[in-house]
Amino acid sequence: MSRTLVAYFSASGRTARLAKALAGVTHADLREIRPAQPYSAADLDWHNPNSRSSVEMKDTASRPALGNNIGGIEDYDTIFVGFPIWWYEAPRIIHTFLESSDFTGKTLIPFATSGSSGMGDTDAILKKTCPDAHWLPGRRMNENTSAEELSAWVKELGL
């Protein structure tokens, strides 16, 4: 039996709401990707070039430490990976997560929330982090995307 996981990072709660809705639609397990050091409002100030998020996103090698171990990745066939869009891509902690386990042969599907930014090159960038996974196209959504819209997207993916 195929098992599905929705793993997500949410700095403000928006991605968490979408991840919970997606887990409900897909009957998936839900796990939060938590940073070892939570992000404060000052850390997330993208107007400040010295804020933590700005500094991390400028450094492609940055890998913020995880505050939890998702574990059990081997038990899942399909993993939705959710995050807010930062500077037109996934936050660096998503790379930390993807490098923390073996995703070889797993189906990975990114999904993101954003106030206005698109996915940019997110799919291509993430594929480089886990080249041995089977990637399906990611999608940027609103935190209030309906269950019907999520179901339609999952059906489009062939799941």
Side-chain angles (χ1 to χ4, degrees):
M1 177 181 224
S2 176
R3 291 197 50 208
T4 302
L5 172 68
V6 174
Y8 70 93
F9 164 67
S10 185
S12 67
R14 290 182 180 103
T15 305
R17 286 189 286 281
L18 181 61
K20 289 173 187 170
L22 181 59
V25 164
T26 59
H27 307 288
D29 292 339
L30 181 67
R31 302 282 185 277
E32 182 180 6
I33 301 165
R34 288 191 306 264
Q37 178 185 354
Y39 289 86
S40 68
D43 291 335
L44 298 172
D45 182 3
W46 60 275
H47 292 291
N48 178 354
N50 297 315
S51 72
R52 179 176 161 201
S53 60
S54 296
V55 170
E56 287 175 1
M57 294 309 291
K58 286 178 195 167
D59 179 5
T60 59
S62 176
R63 296 296 183 265
L66 295 172
N68 63 328
N69 179 1
I70 299 292
I73 294 299
E74 65 277 359
D75 296 334
Y76 297 98
D77 302 307
T78 303
I79 302 160
F80 288 88
V81 181
F83 46 86
I85 290 291
W86 289 2
W87 292 263
Y88 301 99
E89 61 182 283
R92 301 291 180 229
I93 195 164
I94 296 301
H95 296 277
T96 307
F97 168 70
L98 292 173
E99 293 169 354
S100 72
S101 295
D102 182 7
F103 291 91
T104 300
K106 307 290 183 189
T107 298
L108 297 179
I109 309 154
F111 67 96
T113 56
S114 172
S116 61
S117 300
M119 293 279 286
D121 292 328
T122 300
D123 284 358
I125 292 166
L126 293 179
K127 285 178 186 178
K128 291 177 185 174
T129 302
C130 286
D132 296 325
H134 172 67
W135 287 90
L136 294 180
R139 181 168 289 181
R140 177 186 133 340
M141 293 177 258
N142 183 291
E143 66 184 289
N144 297 316
T145 299
S146 71
E148 292 78 19
E149 291 170 299
L150 290 170
S151 292
W153 176 54
V154 170
K155 188 175 181 179
E156 282 175 31
L157 293 169
L159 303 176

